[in-house]
Amino acid sequence: MDIKLYNTLNRTKEVFRPIRPGHAGLYTCGPTVYDYAHIGNLRTYVFEDALRRVLEYNGLAVSHVMNITDVGHLESDADDGEDKMEKGARRTGKTAWQIAAEYTAAFQDDLKSLNILAPTVWCKATDHIKEQVETIRLIERNGYIYRTSDGIYFDTAKLPSYGALAGRANIEGIQAGSRVEMGEKRTATDFALWKFSPKGGQRQMEWDSPWGKGFPGWHIECSAMSAKYLGTLFDIHCGGEDHIAVHHTNEIAQTEAAYGTRLANYWLHGFFLQLGEEKMAKSSGEFLQLRLLVDKGYDPLAYRYFCLGGHYRTQLKFSWESLTAAQKALENLRAEVGRLVLAAGGGEEPEGPAAAAWREKFKAAVNDDLNMPQALAVLWDLLKDDAATAGDRLSLVREFDAVLGLRLIDLPSGNEIPPALAALLERRKQARAGKQWAESDRLRDEMAAHGYIVEDGPGGQRLRKKRFGE
RNA sequence: GGCGGCAUAGCCAAGUGGUAAGGCGAAGGUCUGCAAAACCUUUAUUCAGCGGUUCGAUCCCGCUUGCCGCCUCCA
């Protein structure tokens, strides 16, 4: 079955055809590690993880590269702002290097919490200064750069194809607009490849280069590192929708100027999470971190479920109400699967006739430009389908969860009973035998206070942990 | 100002040129000493508004209104 992906480059859904059969080269723009990630950032990584898992579900071996931007990302694309890392250092009193290490670790923890598969290659901008300088030299050799008093710039006017990703009209709008600080730039869309250290000042992060001491521009790391790990033309490049007009447009320009290729064949962009009143901007200093959700009692995978509930190419409205809905849905899903485990027993049996149809449905959904909301609907419908055996349903859930990443099976049961509660349970059993309902209810309340719900069924009492909001 | 996108039930959200997935919530019922859990049932004659194309549009086109994103730190 074909995989169809929406390619920003051509603004259409296209059948994915890898350069090398059976393999996919994937580059996903990583974080600038000057602060914690907010949940809006994380939505993009959930989308990219879904892509990665869908490719693998289709039998492709994925080489997945993610960069860590730990130098050169200025506050402003006007190329005159402060380096985010240096600013973060000033804010916290730590070194830029410490900042980078701490927030990189925090970011990787967030990915783990969200059950996002680690890329096959992590690469830091500061570990690849040599490669970046080499790439700039190639661009220089091909005649696309000029020097100003503060750096080496890319001359976008020399590249006729500049701006194909963003659309020519958009680029002309930028060039005509009065909102871009020109400085010494020749054209508004020109951007820095190498920035000089301030005169008379020293940066915490700076390196020698053929043009003078300084640091690489923000965009060049992606062109340089993707070429190193994936080749100068690879399959898929992803990022947030905000990167279309500037960051990715400039990456393409650099790679075209250096190597004559368009960098990647497919460009996929995740759309923003929308918060009502709350700002997602990190500059405000206030933004929602995954940590806060966990502190409020949510499972981080409830946030993943929430993200999968909307298509990656539409903006998704966040609210605590809808996050709670996702948490409940995830709990219900796991409870349902738990019952399935009991019903299925342990035995292996040949797959029944209903299974193949469900597999087709699921695959059709995820292969259609990652329609994860549809895939979730297929999962829910499967669980309700009595025509499929419990064993088939369970094995399909396991298979689907490899794509969804929601940890639906094999969770710690949470049903081991603490000794203190075992005694209460026994006392309640006797109270009930004597029809002492008041005492029975009191004991039930007491166990509830310990975080457990007792349920009375045909087989007697059953204790379970409280769910979200109970 | 330039460019792009979105508007579907109480909330979130898929989707299709032939009359609307799924989740959460809500309501009723079965079960229960009462609950809980589970199960069953119900919950958009309608897809922002107004025109147009069509045998037929929520889905195509135009306009209006509202919201959002990028261009100015964001994924």
Side-chain angles (χ1 to χ4, degrees), chain A residues 196-209:
Chain A
F196 302 137
S197 293
K199 295 209 168 38
Q202 196 187 357
R203 289 168 45 87
Q204 294 185 21
M205 292 175 155
E206 59 180 14
W207 296 265
D208 287 321
S209 84

Side-chain angles (χ1 to χ4, degrees), chain A residues 338-361:
Chain A
R339 286 189 285 275
L340 215 44
V341 170
L342 294 178
E348 293 286 323
E349 42 186 292
E351 191 170 281
W358 283 110
R359 182 175 290 118
E360 281 294 299
K361 269 192 181 179

Side-chain angles (χ1 to χ4, degrees), chain A residues 23-42:
Chain A
H23 180 269
L26 173 67
Y27 187 95
T28 56
C29 275
T32 303
V33 284
Y34 66 106
D35 205 337
Y36 293 104
H38 63 233
I39 60 173
N41 297 319
L42 295 172

Side-chain angles (χ1 to χ4, degrees), chain A residues 289-433:
Chain A
Q289 298 169 26
L290 190 61
R291 183 74 247 163
L292 179 66
L293 272 50
V294 173
D295 288 346
K296 282 180 181 262
Y298 292 94
D299 185 326
L301 293 183
Y303 181 66
R304 184 181 174 99
Y305 185 100
F306 169 76
C307 289
L308 296 179
H311 188 90
Y312 78 90
R313 218 147 40 69
T314 58
Q315 293 183 355
L316 178 61
K317 282 179 258 182
F318 177 86
S319 69
W320 294 106
E321 185 185 1
S322 32
L323 183 63
T324 301
Q327 171 82 31
K328 295 282 220 176
L330 181 61
E331 286 177 352
N332 290 342
L333 219 39
R334 285 174 176 163
E336 189 72 32
V337 172
R339 286 189 285 275
L340 215 44
V341 170
L342 294 178
E348 293 286 323
E349 42 186 292
E351 191 170 281
W358 283 110
R359 182 175 290 118
E360 281 294 299
K361 269 192 181 179
F362 183 83
K363 199 168 188 183
V366 301
N367 280 12
D368 181 17
D369 195 29
L370 315 180
N371 193 336
M372 307 314 279
Q374 186 62 46
L376 286 174
V378 171
L379 174 64
W380 281 102
D381 289 342
L382 163 71
L383 289 171
K384 285 179 277 191
D385 178 27
D386 295 329
T389 66
D392 280 355
R393 277 181 279 168
L394 186 60
S395 66
L396 285 168
V397 167
R398 182 168 278 121
E399 180 179 322
F400 296 172
D401 196 36
V403 179
L404 300 169
L406 293 170
R407 296 198 209 281
L408 299 175
I409 309 180
D410 299 333
L411 284 167
S413 71
N415 285 338
E416 52 286 341
I417 301 169
L421 291 193
L424 293 177
L425 213 51
E426 180 56 30
R427 278 165 60 191
R428 183 165 180 275
K429 185 179 171 188
Q430 285 169 12
R432 291 176 58 72

Side-chain angles (χ1 to χ4, degrees), chain A residues 144-395:
Chain A
Y144 291 93
I145 76 166
Y146 61 89
R147 171 189 278 262
T148 73
S149 61
D150 67 305
I152 299 297
Y153 281 78
F154 189 102
D155 192 348
T156 55
K158 291 224 171 99
L159 192 69
S161 62
Y162 182 80
L165 186 69
R168 261 329 281 185
N170 192 6
I171 296 303
E172 280 157 18
I174 291 172
Q175 290 173 345
S178 57
R179 304 182 66 169
V180 181
E181 281 299 325
M182 285 295 286
E184 298 169 45
K185 293 199 292 190
R186 293 176 185 170
T187 310
T189 43
D190 292 353
F191 56 93
L193 295 166
W194 187 265
K195 294 276 284 184
F196 302 137
S197 293
K199 295 209 168 38
Q202 196 187 357
R203 289 168 45 87
Q204 294 185 21
M205 292 175 155
E206 59 180 14
W207 296 265
D208 287 321
S209 84
W211 310 281
K213 188 165 281 193
F215 62 100
W218 172 39
H219 313 296
I220 194 67
E221 62 178 80
C222 292
S223 291
M225 298 193 292
S226 64
K228 175 172 181 176
Y229 295 108
L230 294 171
T232 56
L233 178 67
F234 55 91
D235 294 304
I236 308 174
H237 193 129
C238 296
E241 57 168 327
D242 55 317
H243 284 338
I244 298 170
V246 178
H247 183 50
H248 289 168
T249 288
N250 291 344
E251 285 182 36
I252 292 172
Q254 292 166 340
T255 295
E256 282 197 5
Y259 302 109
T261 74
R262 59 176 168 174
L263 188 55
N265 285 143
Y266 300 85
W267 290 80
L268 272 62
H269 294 94
F271 280 46
F272 275 13
L273 184 73
Q274 256 181 258
L275 275 86
E277 294 305 304
E278 308 197 51
K279 286 286 287 176
M280 276 284 79
K282 285 186 172 180
S283 55
S284 71
E286 288 179 22
F287 51 88
L288 285 180
Q289 298 169 26
L290 190 61
R291 183 74 247 163
L292 179 66
L293 272 50
V294 173
D295 288 346
K296 282 180 181 262
Y298 292 94
D299 185 326
L301 293 183
Y303 181 66
R304 184 181 174 99
Y305 185 100
F306 169 76
C307 289
L308 296 179
H311 188 90
Y312 78 90
R313 218 147 40 69
T314 58
Q315 293 183 355
L316 178 61
K317 282 179 258 182
F318 177 86
S319 69
W320 294 106
E321 185 185 1
S322 32
L323 183 63
T324 301
Q327 171 82 31
K328 295 282 220 176
L330 181 61
E331 286 177 352
N332 290 342
L333 219 39
R334 285 174 176 163
E336 189 72 32
V337 172
R339 286 189 285 275
L340 215 44
V341 170
L342 294 178
E348 293 286 323
E349 42 186 292
E351 191 170 281
W358 283 110
R359 182 175 290 118
E360 281 294 299
K361 269 192 181 179
F362 183 83
K363 199 168 188 183
V366 301
N367 280 12
D368 181 17
D369 195 29
L370 315 180
N371 193 336
M372 307 314 279
Q374 186 62 46
L376 286 174
V378 171
L379 174 64
W380 281 102
D381 289 342
L382 163 71
L383 289 171
K384 285 179 277 191
D385 178 27
D386 295 329
T389 66
D392 280 355
R393 277 181 279 168
L394 186 60
S395 66

Side-chain angles (χ1 to χ4, degrees), chain A residues 26-31 45 48 64-69 107 111 116-124 225 230:
Chain A
L26 173 67
Y27 187 95
T28 56
C29 275
Y45 301 107
E48 291 164 347
H64 177 192
V65 177
M66 187 183 290
N67 63 297
I68 296 285
T69 301
F107 174 71
L111 296 196
I116 290 171
L117 300 172
T120 45
V121 175
W122 284 108
C123 49
K124 286 160 58 181
M225 298 193 292
L230 294 171

